[in-house]
Amino acid sequence: MESMLNKLKSTVTKVTADVTSAVMGNPVTREFDVGRHIASGGNGLAWKIFNGTKKSTKQEVAVFVFDKKLIDKYQKFEKDQIIDSLKRGVQQLTRLRHPRLLTVQHPLEESRDCLAFCTEPVFASLANVLGNWENLPSSISPDIKDYKLYDVETKYGLLQVSEGLSFLHSSVKMVHGNVTPENVILNKSGAWKIMGFDFCVSSSNPSEQEPKFPCKEWDPNLPSLCLPNPEYLAPEYILSVSCETASDMYSLGAVMYAVFNQGRPIFEVNKQDIYKSFSRQLDQLSRLGSSSLTSIPEEVREHVKLLLNVTPTVRPDADQMTKIPFFDDVGAVTLQYFDTLFQRDNLQKSQFFKGLPKVLPKLPKRVIVQRILPCLTSEFVNPDMVPFVLPNVLLIAEECTKEEYIKLILPELGPVFKQQEPIQASNMILLIFLQKMDLLLTKTPPDEIKNSVLPMVYRALEAPSIQIQELCLNIIPTFANLIDYPSMKNALIPRIKNACLQTSSLAVRVNSLVCLGKILEYLDKWFVLDDILPFLQQIPSKEPAVLMGILGIYKCTFTHKKLGITKEQLAGKVLPHLIPLSIENNLNLNQFSSFIAVIKEMLSRLESEHRTKLEQLHVMQEQQRSLDIGNQMSASEETKVAHSASQIDKVFNNIGADLLSGGESENREDGMQGKQKRGSLTLEEKQKLAKEQEQAQKLKSQQPLKPQVHTPIAPVKQTKDLTDTLMENMSSLTSLSVSTPKISASSTFTPAPSSGLGMMFSTPIDNTKRNLTNGLNANMGFQTSGFSMPVNPNQNFFSGTGTAGVTTMSLGAPPTMSNFSPLTIPPASVKQPQQRPTDMSALNNLFGPQKPKVSMNQLSQQKPNQWLNQFAPPQGSPVMGSTAMGTQGNVMGQAAFGMQGNPFFNPQNFAQPPPTTMTSSSSASNDLKDLFG
């Protein structure tokens, strides 16, 4: 606890170090809080000036403190003389009350360490402003250090001092005796006040017309604080030991000279030899010329020269000085009128306030803020004067910073915002505020706007005066961007709508619509669509101006890039409302044209937007339909390919088995189908199906094969003569045919005409050997150099019924299969009709590179695709029948061997041995192997 108290004590001591020794313990501190040391004043600048506040009322004051330590060097009787002189001056000042004299708010209090009294708030002494900083703190305030007097301040200050002296001389019958810059105090508002009555002299006969002022002889042995400042003292004080009111006027002239010469007096006085100095000064004054007063303004130079005249009777008195033209400046007169404002009636005040806006621009801002603004705001207590004062206050607010506005003006406007009595004054106040609303919303803090400014706007919208409503509606759009959105949406817009619906004035209704149209851009789209547009349908009147206002809101909403109207709103609400309004009888031709133009524009956009939407939907539907069809086709194609692959697999597996083993009892497909019907597939079967699907997918994705043109290569002569071998094989086949019983017509063989497939032998075989039962054309010839198989692209081997050049073979089809018409063998002498060769160009792409030859046993054991690949001819080798062994889509049985459904390739036809001896003959099997090999 003790350490905390010590810390608190040290803090207080540090903060009030400059006041502790002077003020602490003085009775003044009981009622006033003493603040910062701001200035110095009085005779010899002996008084320190502090700012302070009254504890009870928080009223701002200035505390003058005289620290007795300053006179510790003097003897006790000298100290007493100094204290008595200081006390006398303060007491005299306390008794005098005048606007030009410093106002004392608390009398002098003495303590062991100091003297202190309180006055009105003070800025500084004139000596401090002119650069004399004696008895000021080490850190001089920039406000004093940089302070420069404006001409209007100087003029009016000197006028105020003259008026104060006039009061003392005429009314009080007193000579101040020490008019110096130290005893002229500038208060908080910049007014010049007189203090320092330490050496004042009152008239010995105040009742008589000619007052007499006793004067003490100058005593150089007295302390300096017990003597007036000789640099501003009239010569008669020293030389003739006399004083009068003219002596103060000389001091006024010296002060004026110092003001215009940066604080330097006209003469420097040697205080050690005062008489000699004044004698020399008297001689200089008698020869004073205008050249010595060049720094003084020309319009007052002669008056200053008169004030400094050696003869007292030549000097102008104080009352005369207040009337010189130098003080007739507009600013000085204005400030003077403000100082006497309390003496004026309302009519005089109103006339003055009306002309004030013309004067304010000519005055410095500091003068306006310090001197004029307080006088204006003090008139707010008079409700009748508020409409005349308020425009000037707002004009000053425009020149102030936001901080100055908040500190100096806004607190005074608070009661004015809420003023409602008298009605006439209240209405005028509303009009004035509405005209300056942008200023209020710009500089007023948001909380104050919400609590004070906007409620006044709402009150104006609800005012009974049509003029106020019209003005408010016209002004709202100018500051709508400064209003926060919630306040506009929830408070301002509803009141505008009410004003439109409830008023009986057409002007208010039209202005309401115009106002809404102008502030649409500050609203969001959905609020406009859901709140503003439905409100338009509630307006009862059908006057042309109202209808055009409604049309304007619709058009603004429709064309604004931020807002816009949806096509649903256009079709369902807007157009059904606008179209009936467009045919109102009150509309003229131009107004009707405006309606029709907007309606057409809306219809055009409605059509374009909806058409675009439908077109997009149509395109999407078509795309979806094409995707569905493509998926179906793909699925069907995959199914077809899989089915074809499985069918080919079955066909060629059975062909291989029948060719090698003479047929089997049942084919694998029937067994597989039966097995699938009987139960679920085994793992091996599923793997096989999966491989088949993969192979089919690969075949589908392959690029189509293109035919390659091959140049026939001359056959190499073989040493072995195949003529005998071939003849023996043909003889064997013939003998087998002769020994076989006669077959039915369904299994007969039809030889091809001579233009069909031939082996191109040089010597034809005997006709008795033509009727072969192996299905091959017997037109064969021998060629000693070997044999070749030229390809006729128009021929189709193993074709169906009616195909030229190929014999048809039917091998005992089962009863369940449809039989094909048998073809009889025409006689050799009968000439076959010329048939058009079949166009096989579509199958030209079925050729592929030749694979190595394999045996039929190997073929029967290979997969269908592998088996098919064995039939591809090698690169550059002659090909037997371009389409005979080609592959397309792995459907060899359909493209290579004739039309689909040919019974020759039905696996069931090979299930049982044909009724010929061909299957039991090894030579026939060998021949077939050689042919396919």
Side-chain angles (χ1 to χ4, degrees):
M1 176 64 74
E2 184 178 0
S3 62
M4 186 171 65
L5 289 176
N6 292 335
K7 184 178 180 181
L8 178 62
K9 181 178 179 181
S10 63
T11 303
V12 173
T13 303
K14 183 178 180 180
V15 172
T16 60
D18 54 347
V19 213
T20 302
S21 60
V23 184
M24 299 305 292
N26 193 284
V28 169
T29 59
R30 299 173 186 172
E31 298 184 23
F32 297 90
D33 292 324
V34 181
R36 184 172 57 91
H37 182 192
I38 57 174
S40 61
N43 189 28
L45 297 176
W47 293 91
K48 293 181 179 180
I49 305 174
F50 299 84
N51 57 18
T53 55
K54 193 172 185 178
K55 294 180 179 180
S56 58
T57 62
K58 302 300 179 182
Q59 181 182 4
E60 188 176 3
V61 297
V63 181
F64 284 72
V65 177
F66 175 77
D67 191 355
K68 293 183 178 179
K69 290 182 180 180
L70 294 176
I71 57 175
D72 285 347
K73 59 182 179 180
Y74 295 106
Q75 299 294 328
K76 185 178 182 306
F77 75 94
E78 292 177 331
K79 293 180 181 179
D80 293 339
Q81 288 178 333
I82 294 172
I83 296 298
D84 291 341
S85 176
L86 294 174
K87 287 182 177 180
R88 179 172 179 270
V90 175
Q91 292 170 355
Q92 186 64 45
L93 179 63
T94 305
R95 288 193 292 266
L96 298 173
R97 294 287 181 176
H98 191 268
R100 303 299 177 241
L101 305 182
L102 188 63
T103 303
V104 178
Q105 295 184 357
H106 189 83
L108 181 68
E109 298 282 358
E110 183 178 7
S111 65
R112 183 185 63 182
D113 298 323
C114 67
L115 299 175
F117 67 99
C118 297
T119 69
E120 61 183 298
V122 166
F123 171 69
S125 64
L126 181 59
N128 295 151
V129 171
L130 294 176
N132 189 348
W133 300 331
E134 185 179 348
N135 207 13
L136 282 177
S138 57
S139 58
I140 302 173
S141 172
D143 295 337
I144 295 178
K145 192 173 183 180
D146 301 332
Y147 195 90
K148 302 297 181 183
L149 290 170
Y150 292 107
D151 289 342
V152 65
E153 291 178 305
T154 302
K155 290 179 180 180
Y156 188 57
L158 294 174
L159 176 61
Q160 288 175 307
V161 174
S162 300
E163 291 176 346
L165 292 177
S166 177
F167 165 73
L168 292 176
H169 297 166
S170 302
S171 300
V172 184
K173 306 293 184 182
M174 178 185 291
V175 174
H176 185 276
N178 194 24
V179 179
T180 63
E182 293 88 348
N183 287 324
V184 176
I185 302 297
L186 278 65
N187 69 0
K188 197 76 173 179
S189 61
W192 293 19
K193 302 293 186 80
I194 299 175
M195 67 165 294
F197 290 87
D198 304 359
F199 309 105
C200 65
V201 179
S202 298
S203 175
S204 57
N205 51 351
S207 59
E208 298 181 3
Q209 292 182 355
E210 292 294 333
K212 293 183 179 180
F213 301 98
C215 182
K216 296 181 180 179
E217 187 177 356
W218 182 271
D219 187 357
N221 296 322
L222 291 175
S224 59
L225 292 178
C226 294
L227 295 171
N229 187 345
E231 293 176 346
Y232 296 90
L233 199 60
E236 58 267 19
Y237 268 102
I238 307 299
L239 299 179
S240 60
V241 192
S242 62
C243 65
E244 51 184 309
T245 57
S247 301
D248 286 342
M249 300 309 296
Y250 176 91
S251 300
L252 176 62
V255 169
M256 294 177 70
Y257 183 92
V259 167
F260 292 110
N261 285 273
Q262 301 178 355
R264 295 189 297 270
I266 189 172
F267 296 115
E268 297 289 340
V269 176
N270 185 1
K271 298 180 181 179
Q272 301 299 327
D273 191 0
I274 190 71
Y275 294 102
K276 185 176 181 180
S277 296
F278 266 86
S279 299
R280 185 170 58 254
Q281 176 182 337
L282 185 63
D283 184 59
Q284 293 176 357
L285 288 174
S286 61
R287 294 183 285 103
L288 186 63
S290 299
S291 58
S292 302
L293 306 174
T294 55
S295 60
I296 300 175
E298 185 178 357
E299 59 267 29
V300 75
R301 190 177 300 166
E302 291 298 325
H303 297 94
V304 172
K305 185 177 180 180
L306 288 175
L307 290 174
L308 297 177
N309 198 283
V310 177
T311 306
T313 56
V314 178
R315 301 167 191 161
D317 58 32
D319 188 60
Q320 290 172 341
M321 282 299 299
T322 59
K323 295 179 175 59
I324 63 175
F326 180 70
F327 297 131
D328 287 341
D329 181 76
V330 175
V333 172
T334 302
L335 296 177
Q336 186 180 20
Y337 195 93
F338 271 111
D339 289 338
T340 60
L341 198 59
F342 65 95
Q343 303 175 1
R344 315 290 179 174
D345 57 22
N346 288 344
L347 181 60
Q348 293 174 326
K349 291 180 182 179
S350 63
Q351 295 295 330
F352 172 71
F353 291 140
K354 286 180 181 179
L356 186 59
K358 299 178 181 180
V359 180
L360 290 177
K362 301 177 182 180
L363 300 177
K365 178 182 176 181
R366 186 175 69 199
V367 175
I368 294 174
V369 173
Q370 291 183 351
R371 298 297 313 277
I372 297 179
L373 183 60
C375 297
L376 291 174
T377 55
S378 64
E379 290 294 324
F380 283 156
V381 297
N382 185 356
D384 295 330
M385 287 292 101
V386 173
F388 302 99
V389 176
L390 186 58
N392 298 289
V393 175
L394 297 179
L395 184 61
I396 295 173
E398 292 179 353
E399 303 298 328
C400 294
T401 63
K402 187 173 183 179
E403 292 74 16
E404 292 172 338
Y405 169 82
I406 294 173
K407 180 180 179 180
L408 302 175
I409 299 177
L410 185 59
E412 305 295 337
L413 293 179
V416 182
F417 286 138
K418 303 175 183 179
Q419 182 175 335
Q420 300 185 23
E421 297 293 337
I423 299 298
Q424 186 176 2
S426 177
N427 291 340
M428 294 180 66
I429 292 171
L430 286 176
L431 293 174
I432 295 169
F433 274 131
L434 290 174
Q435 293 172 350
K436 296 291 184 179
M437 189 58 61
D438 55 342
L439 167 68
L440 297 178
L441 295 177
T442 302
K443 295 189 176 181
T444 305
D447 293 340
E448 287 297 324
I449 291 176
K450 187 175 181 180
N451 298 329
S452 301
V453 179
L454 291 182
M456 181 190 61
V457 176
Y458 306 151
R459 193 169 71 248
L461 288 174
E462 298 169 350
S465 173
I466 294 177
Q467 181 183 3
I468 293 177
Q469 286 184 327
E470 287 186 41
L471 180 61
C472 184
L473 292 170
N474 290 331
I475 292 176
I476 285 175
T478 62
F479 61 83
N481 60 319
L482 302 176
I483 302 176
D484 62 297
Y485 184 73
S487 298
M488 180 179 292
K489 177 181 177 181
N490 300 322
L492 183 62
I493 297 297
R495 285 176 168 83
I496 296 176
K497 292 163 58 178
N498 289 335
C500 181
L501 295 176
Q502 298 176 3
T503 185
S504 58
S505 171
L506 178 61
V508 172
R509 184 164 292 157
V510 173
N511 285 326
S512 299
L513 294 174
V514 173
C515 179
L516 284 176
K518 290 182 178 179
I519 65 177
L520 284 177
E521 59 180 320
Y522 306 112
L523 305 175
D524 64 78
K525 175 179 180 179
W526 300 113
F527 177 74
V528 174
L529 296 180
D530 298 338
D531 194 86
I532 302 297
L533 298 188
F535 152 74
L536 298 179
Q537 303 180 14
Q538 303 173 9
I539 300 175
S541 60
K542 303 297 182 182
E543 290 82 0
V546 176
L547 296 182
M548 296 306 294
I550 294 173
L551 179 65
I553 293 178
Y554 276 128
K555 185 175 182 180
C556 290
T557 307
F558 177 70
T559 58
H560 198 280
K561 60 181 180 180
K562 173 186 172 184
L563 302 175
I565 304 177
T566 62
K567 59 186 180 65
E568 292 79 12
Q569 291 270 357
L570 285 175
K573 296 181 180 180
V574 177
L575 289 173
H577 184 217
L578 277 180
I579 293 175
L581 293 181
S582 65
I583 58 173
E584 285 291 331
N585 295 329
N586 296 330
L587 296 177
N588 58 30
L589 180 60
N590 291 334
Q591 294 168 346
F592 172 75
S593 301
S594 300
F595 265 90
I596 293 302
V598 175
I599 291 173
K600 286 182 178 179
E601 188 177 356
M602 290 181 175
L603 286 173
S604 176
R605 181 177 298 182
L606 176 64
E607 178 187 1
S608 63
E609 288 184 1
H610 198 63
R611 184 180 297 277
T612 302
K613 176 183 176 182
L614 294 179
E615 290 175 353
Q616 292 175 352
L617 289 175
H618 179 71
V619 171
M620 293 174 62
Q621 291 172 357
E622 290 297 326
Q623 292 177 351
Q624 185 65 33
R625 188 179 294 110
S626 63
L627 289 176
D628 293 341
I629 294 174
N631 292 335
Q632 292 176 2
M633 294 178 64
S634 176
S636 63
E637 188 174 336
E638 290 178 0
T639 305
K640 185 176 179 180
V641 169
H643 178 70
S644 301
S646 63
Q647 186 177 4
I648 292 171
D649 188 21
K650 292 183 291 183
V651 168
F652 286 103
N653 283 338
N654 285 313
I655 289 175
D658 288 343
L659 290 175
L660 295 176
S661 63
E664 295 181 357
S665 61
E666 296 291 337
N667 61 60
R668 296 179 183 180
E669 180 65 22
D670 292 342
M672 182 62 69
Q673 290 180 353
K675 189 174 182 179
Q676 289 180 355
K677 292 179 181 178
R678 288 191 302 268
S680 60
L681 299 175
T682 63
L683 179 60
E684 292 78 4
E685 292 170 342
K686 292 181 179 179
Q687 291 176 345
K688 182 178 180 180
L689 289 176
K691 292 180 179 179
E692 290 176 353
Q693 292 176 356
E694 292 178 1
Q695 189 66 20
Q697 187 66 26
K698 290 180 180 179
L699 289 174
K700 181 181 176 182
S701 61
Q702 284 180 353
Q703 296 292 334
L705 299 177
K706 296 182 179 180
Q708 297 181 356
V709 179
H710 301 283
T711 305
I713 303 176
V716 180
K717 292 183 179 181
Q718 299 180 0
T719 58
K720 182 179 179 180
D721 189 1
L722 297 179
T723 303
D724 295 337
T725 303
L726 180 61
M727 293 298 293
E728 290 176 0
N729 290 336
M730 296 299 294
S731 299
S732 177
L733 290 174
T734 304
S735 63
L736 289 175
S737 173
V738 172
S739 63
T740 303
K742 186 178 181 179
I743 59 177
S744 61
S746 62
S747 59
T748 58
F749 292 86
T750 303
S754 60
S755 60
L757 174 65
M759 299 303 295
M760 301 302 292
F761 292 106
S762 62
T763 305
I765 302 177
D766 187 68
N767 291 336
T768 60
K769 298 180 180 180
R770 278 182 191 173
N771 296 330
L772 302 180
T773 60
N774 60 352
L776 297 177
N777 195 327
N779 285 336
M780 299 181 180
F782 296 101
Q783 186 176 2
T784 57
S785 61
F787 70 93
S788 61
M789 300 180 69
V791 177
N792 184 2
N794 294 327
Q795 293 179 353
N796 186 1
F797 302 102
F798 306 103
S799 63
T801 304
T803 304
V806 179
T807 60
T808 304
M809 180 177 63
S810 176
L811 299 179
T816 58
M817 298 297 293
S818 58
N819 295 326
F820 290 83
S821 300
L823 298 177
T824 59
I825 304 175
S829 61
V830 180
K831 186 177 180 179
Q832 296 292 334
Q834 186 69 23
Q835 295 183 0
R836 183 180 179 182
T838 306
D839 185 7
M840 306 300 292
S841 61
L843 300 177
N844 288 339
N845 295 334
L846 299 178
F847 298 117
Q850 183 178 2
K851 298 289 182 179
K853 295 182 180 180
V854 295
S855 67
M856 295 304 292
N857 291 332
Q858 292 174 337
L859 291 176
S860 64
Q861 295 176 0
Q862 288 178 349
K863 293 183 181 180
N865 294 329
Q866 294 175 345
W867 193 89
L868 289 174
N869 292 334
Q870 303 301 324
F871 291 91
Q875 182 73 24
S877 64
V879 182
M880 185 185 73
S882 302
T883 61
M885 295 299 174
T887 60
Q888 177 67 25
N890 203 12
V891 190
M892 179 178 179
Q894 298 175 9
F897 293 97
M899 304 178 67
Q900 186 176 1
N902 192 331
F904 180 82
F905 290 102
N906 192 333
Q908 295 179 1
N909 293 337
F910 298 91
Q912 304 210 358
T916 62
T917 60
M918 186 177 178
T919 58
S920 62
S921 174
S922 61
S923 61
S925 299
N926 292 331
D927 291 340
L928 289 173
K929 291 180 182 178
D930 292 337
L931 290 174
F932 284 98

